[in-house]
Amino acid sequence: MLGKSYDFDEPGLLSVISVGVPGKRTFFLVIGEKEEWIRLWLEKEHLEALSIAIDQFIVRLSQELRQYSNEPSIQSSGDDLPVGLPSGEFEVDQIGIGFDNEKVVFEFLVHALGPQNVDGIMVSCRINPRKVRRLGNLAREICAAGRPRCKLCGRPIDPTGHDCPMQN
Ligand SMILES: [Zn+2]
């Protein structure tokens, strides 16, 4: 069953936020305009994968189209937070990224699940390369701001301690 669909063309608001303390953080993608926006809940692994995918895209693009290699990315800042409550909140199921060579925009296609996990929500979003790079940086910063990782096994260390499988 296909539920609602959202379509954003160069949204003014495109950000990543985390809520909660390290180790128990919840991650959201925020898309829309200040007064009309949606919140997409996603796993940290999803967010990490997204930042890596964006990085790879940017690298490939800067090789193909030289003009992007020197273009500075917009610095992440906290001034683009939404106002009020989202008009929708969904759980990310899958994210696809594409690039339109003619229009020089990225295309995000998100398949999300509604509150009962039965409705398929489609979110499509077109954004320019600078904003995509900013989103990728933001995603990476937010992922890295979590718990420190163990040097032996690479798993996150909780404030309460770490039971390392490599230290038996
Ligand atoms: Zn460890």
Side-chain angles (χ1 to χ4, degrees):
M1 183 167 68
L2 195 67
K4 259 189 123 152
S5 70
Y6 292 87
D7 194 43
F8 298 106
D9 222 350
E10 296 282 345
L13 205 65
L14 180 71
S15 198
V16 183
I17 53 171
S18 73
V19 179
V21 295
K24 293 193 186 338
R25 291 188 300 166
T26 310
F27 302 90
F28 297 100
L29 267 178
V30 170
I31 310 176
E33 302 300 333
K34 263 200 184 281
E35 312 289 331
E36 174 85 31
W37 54 285
I38 60 167
R39 207 154 86 147
L40 296 167
W41 177 77
L42 75 175
E43 299 281 353
K44 190 187 177 189
E45 288 72 25
H46 247 131
L47 194 59
E48 272 173 340
L50 180 67
S51 77
I52 291 166
I54 288 174
D55 276 355
Q56 288 172 344
F57 236 117
I58 297 285
V59 167
R60 214 171 75 202
L61 218 75
S62 55
Q63 285 164 351
E64 285 172 21
L65 310 162
R66 300 218 97 176
Q67 68 213 71
Y68 294 117
S69 51
N70 297 323
E71 205 173 289
S73 69
I74 305 169
Q75 285 301 304
S76 56
S77 64
D79 62 354
D80 59 348
L81 293 173
V83 180
L85 291 169
S87 42
E89 180 164 311
F90 313 106
E91 180 185 344
V92 170
D93 180 36
Q94 281 187 320
I95 303 181
I97 312 177
F99 185 72
D100 187 324
N101 271 310
E102 275 172 35
K103 295 182 190 145
V104 199
V105 288
F106 278 86
E107 291 173 323
F108 284 86
L109 207 59
V110 183
H111 179 254
L113 303 169
Q116 254 68 56
N117 277 11
V118 285
D119 305 330
I121 314 280
M122 290 304 294
V123 182
S124 61
C125 175
R126 284 164 302 283
I127 27 175
N128 67 55
R130 291 180 74 197
K131 279 191 190 159
V132 166
R133 191 186 282 190
R134 177 188 172 281
L135 181 71
N137 289 344
L138 201 58
R140 199 183 322 105
E141 280 170 28
I142 282 187
C143 286
R147 292 167 290 176
R149 288 195 176 263
C150 172
K151 286 194 182 77
L152 287 175
C153 69
R155 290 175 201 205
I157 299 171
D158 284 318
T160 50
H162 170 63
D163 193 6
C164 188
M166 301 290 278
Q167 254 181 349
N168 283 329

